[in-house]
Amino acid sequence: MIYILKVGASIVLPPGIFFVIFFVISAYCVHIQQKRLAAIIAGVTLVFYLLSTGFVAEHLMGWLESAYDPPVSLETEGADGIIMLGGGAYPDVPDYDGMGALAAGPASRMLTVIRIENDLGVPVLFSGGQVYADSGKEAEIAKRNLMSFGVPEERIIVEGNSLNTNQNARYSAQLLKEHDITHPVLVTSAFHMRRSVLNFKQMGVDVIPYPTDYHASKEHVFHYTKLRPSASALVDSVTVMQETMRTLITYVLKV
């Protein structure tokens, strides 16, 4: 009964309701002998519907997130620092240790960073600036959070000027050189790791990829509810397409 209710809700709420409407429009076009237009509408709607299903989204996201696996042992890898990439913050919301909080993605990344720092006791470089006027000074929030989790201030390096991944790598490379860090662990969301590694490689930084904040399970188990459309699945599908496009641009233009 629970699954039936979920499927029903996905049909009467966006984006599902729009697919129903456009399929009805397509059927009407067939009725009025506009078969070519009906085929175009139905085809486009079908593509958007498939991208909005968990079945398709999790396979796309799983492919992107499988680019790198966390190393078995960071100690044997010779890690001498940690780089954490930002991904958004809210400047005016209450947090446990002050005002301003990291968004869900970077907050998940931070949990991994703290665990690694506890094991290795190496410097942490946080890279991320204030992209928009209402997105918060992410570096300041991250530093406050790291200190509240017990990371010593002297082991925190802040880079708060970067506005994209290319700048993350470029500005971080300068700070890594200043602090004599040559083989850092790179922590970011799994879907973001392929492009991030590429950007750091182009800046001459040999990183140890440590993906986190996964959006899809490694094992894809089918259930009919994964065929229901959802906004979150569409977001994941678009994220994969966006990351793939940006990675190709990075390869070609190095930006």
Side-chain angles (χ1 to χ4, degrees), residues 37 82 119 122 135 151 183 196 205 212 234 241 255:
L37 178 60
I82 306 167
D119 284 341
V122 296
S135 61
V151 180
H183 201 38
S196 301
V205 180
T212 188
L234 181 59
M241 293 187 289
V255 295

Side-chain angles (χ1 to χ4, degrees), residues 1 7 46 58 83 94 129 131 160 182 202 225-226 231-232:
M1 186 63 179
V7 172
L46 179 62
E58 73 175 18
I83 304 170
V131 181
T182 59
Q202 290 175 340
T225 58
K226 291 185 178 182
S232 59

